[in-house]
Structures are given as structure tokens and as C-alpha cells.
Amino acid sequence: MSLTPTSAADRARILTEALPYLQRFRGKTIVIKYGGNAMVDDALKQGFARDVVLMKLVGINPVVVHGGGPQIGKLLERIGKKSEFVQGMRVTDRETMDVVEMVLGGLVNKEIVNLINRQGGKAVGLSGKDGGLIRANKMMLTRRSADEKLPPEIVDIGHVGEVKAIDPQLVALLDNAEFIPVIAPIGVGEDGETYNINADVVAGKLAITLKAEKLILLTNTSGVLDREGKLLTGLSVKQVHDLIGDGTISGGMLPKVNYALDAVLSGVRTAHIIDGRVPHAVLLEVFTDEGVGTLIRS
């Protein structure tokens, strides 16, 4: 079936629109946090894998960091263990940590690796344990007491960590050898203990360490919205601070925006919070003028 003149012109326009982005980002590193609907919808999963393979083929170095909260919850439910959260963080005792490591470092990681490889890429699955990639500190939360005269309560949520340091050597080695790193957000403490770390945090810290061109966070929302629910497509650091200050950015979007801000203020050129429910969201954000989310730049 041949193309009509109109459809042919549309395709040509899309390709020529991508050209300056292909030239600009060749040889650059882009860190992508993969999660949300894009990880559970079959069509979106296939599309994401093709996006990543295409980026690698045109000379960009994509690095994928993935979550897996829903998958962890399902397996815990199957073994009769109830999920418990404090301030949005999963309480992770030793048994739960075993499940987290099995799901993130095994089932989910290898599924993503397989998806990318089936699309013609060369993906390699890693966790933060491999090559000393992610060193972690134990995270302790504080909770305000009902009595304001009392000091905040320290809450131990188990094997939940913060990023202490990232050693980029292994990732750089894979990038230079034409492989695509796929990283599970698991770190190791000085005591040898294993820690579950928020995937957005790992992606942001990795982008900073690798001096990445972009940090892309896939979400289940269209991006940062104003008070009328309209998408804000391009924001400066000052505008983001103003939106946080007046309460426009709040709730579950606030942590993601703060991770994006941290990356931009630490040398990453741009951070993107994009709608992973849109087919080929990553390609659209990187290679088109409009994009499919919110771009934050310094």
C-alpha cells in the first residue's frame, strides 16, 4: 500500500524535525526511569523497548533504571505477607527485602532486558550490587509527635536505603561496548546489607554521576500541571520553585519534581517528567519539538 502525498509529507516532516535532535544528542547519555503503565501494558512495553534500541542505534547512550512496586506487592500478597508503608516508603524487613531483590533484580530486570534484546538491542541487567555500582546508607524517617513539645519520633523502616555514592565505571564500560544497561535500584551498605532504594532517586543520582544530557522520568500523569489542570511544558528552576511555594506542585508530584530539580542543579542539562501512557513517549520527548510532558532546565 503506497502512501498518499499528505501522509508521505507528514512522515517526511517528522523525520526532518528529528534531525537536529539526532545531531545534538549523538554520543550523549540519557538516563530513563522506567515505571508506571509503561511497565505493565504490553503495547507500551514493546514501544519502550523499540525506543531504547533506536536511541542506541543512532548513537545515543540510554541507561534504564526501573522500578517494580506493583510487582513486589503482588508477590508479597501471594506469599501471605501484607505490604506496609510509612510516608510512602515500603517497610522492608529481611523477608520483604528478599522478595524485593528477587522481583527487582530478577523477574522485572530480566523481563526488560529480554524486551530490549528481542527488539534488536544488546541489554545487560544489573543491580547496584554489581561492580559496586550503588553504595547505600540506611534510611531513617522522622515522624512528628502529637505533642509538639516532644522531639520527632525516629522510624526504622528496615532495608530501605539512600544513595551514598555511585561508581559509574561499569555503566561507562557497557555504554562504550554498545550495550544498554538496565539497572535495578538496589544498593549495598558498608555493613554488606542490601537496601531497596527509590528508583527515581537512583535515576537522578546516576544522571548526575554520568554527567548525562537528560534525565527522563516516566509517570502515569501528563506531567506538571497548573492550577487549572493544564500541562506546563517548559519550566525554569525559578518557575518550579514558585510553583512549589504557592502549592501548585504538591502531593505525589512533589518528590519527582525535587529529584528532577536536584539533577538539573547538579549539572544535568534538562530533566523531563513525561507521560508513560503515551505510545513511544521517550522518542516523542527526545526527538520532537512538542514532546509529551514537562521539561525542566536550569
Side-chain angles (χ1 to χ4, degrees):
M1 181 177 176
S2 61
L3 295 173
T4 66
T6 300
S7 61
D10 287 341
R11 292 194 184 189
R13 179 186 57 77
I14 292 168
L15 291 171
T16 54
E17 183 179 314
L19 179 60
Y21 299 106
L22 291 166
Q23 294 170 326
R24 185 188 310 171
F25 302 138
R26 183 171 180 81
K28 304 293 187 181
T29 296
I30 296 179
V31 176
I32 307 162
K33 188 273 178 155
Y34 178 47
N37 276 37
M39 280 187 70
V40 296
D41 179 278
D42 285 338
L44 293 175
K45 289 194 291 186
Q46 297 292 338
F48 174 80
R50 294 183 70 182
D51 290 0
V52 170
V53 171
L54 178 58
M55 290 169 71
K56 191 68 178 181
L57 287 173
V58 299
I60 296 169
N61 292 320
V63 177
V64 179
V65 178
H66 64 83
Q71 293 90 333
I72 293 167
K74 285 181 181 178
L75 186 51
L76 287 171
E77 186 178 346
R78 280 172 56 189
I79 66 173
K81 193 171 181 67
K82 185 178 179 181
S83 294
E84 182 183 352
F85 294 87
V86 176
Q87 296 177 23
M89 308 297 290
R90 185 185 298 276
V91 176
T92 309
D93 59 17
R94 189 173 297 278
E95 183 182 29
T96 301
M97 188 64 233
D98 288 343
V99 171
V100 168
E101 189 164 16
M102 186 191 330
V103 172
L104 292 183
L107 297 172
V108 173
N109 189 272
K110 300 316 172 192
E111 181 190 14
I112 298 166
V113 166
N114 188 46
L115 281 167
I116 293 171
N117 290 345
R118 288 183 64 189
Q119 295 296 333
K122 294 197 298 182
V124 175
L126 305 170
S127 83
K129 286 184 167 183
D130 294 306
L133 176 60
I134 304 173
R135 284 176 287 165
N137 289 327
K138 181 180 175 68
M139 176 185 286
M140 301 295 287
L141 299 180
T142 58
R143 184 161 51 197
R144 287 179 175 274
S145 171
D147 186 344
E148 294 182 0
K149 295 179 181 178
L150 296 175
E153 176 188 0
I154 304 298
V155 182
D156 185 346
I157 53 174
H159 291 255
V160 178
E162 300 174 304
V163 174
K164 179 181 180 183
I166 290 179
D167 184 341
Q169 291 185 72
L170 182 55
V171 173
L173 187 68
L174 291 170
D175 280 341
N176 292 333
E178 301 305 316
F179 291 100
I180 299 169
V182 178
I183 301 168
I186 295 167
V188 181
E190 296 293 335
D191 53 3
E193 291 284 1
T194 305
Y195 292 100
N196 180 23
I197 308 174
N198 181 288
D200 290 336
V201 172
V202 171
K205 297 296 185 185
L206 190 61
I208 294 166
T209 303
L210 294 173
K211 298 179 172 58
E213 177 76 13
K214 293 179 179 293
L215 166 67
I216 297 177
L217 304 177
L218 270 70
T219 69
N220 283 343
T221 65
S222 53
V224 178
L225 308 178
D226 65 15
R227 289 185 178 276
E228 283 71 47
K230 182 180 178 182
L231 177 65
L232 299 169
T233 56
L235 296 171
S236 68
V237 169
K238 182 182 183 305
Q239 288 173 314
V240 172
H241 282 307
D242 290 343
L243 290 168
I244 294 172
D246 68 15
T248 300
I249 298 175
S250 60
M253 182 57 70
L254 185 55
K256 290 186 181 294
V257 168
N258 280 328
Y259 303 143
L261 271 181
D262 182 46
V264 168
L265 292 172
S266 300
V268 178
R269 188 175 295 275
T270 56
H272 307 247
I273 299 172
I274 71 171
D275 193 344
R277 300 168 300 178
V278 176
H280 300 289
V282 173
L283 282 190
L284 291 170
E285 185 66 16
V286 174
F287 294 128
T288 67
D289 295 336
E290 293 84 6
V292 290
T294 299
L295 177 151
I296 299 172
R297 59 162 56 91
S298 58

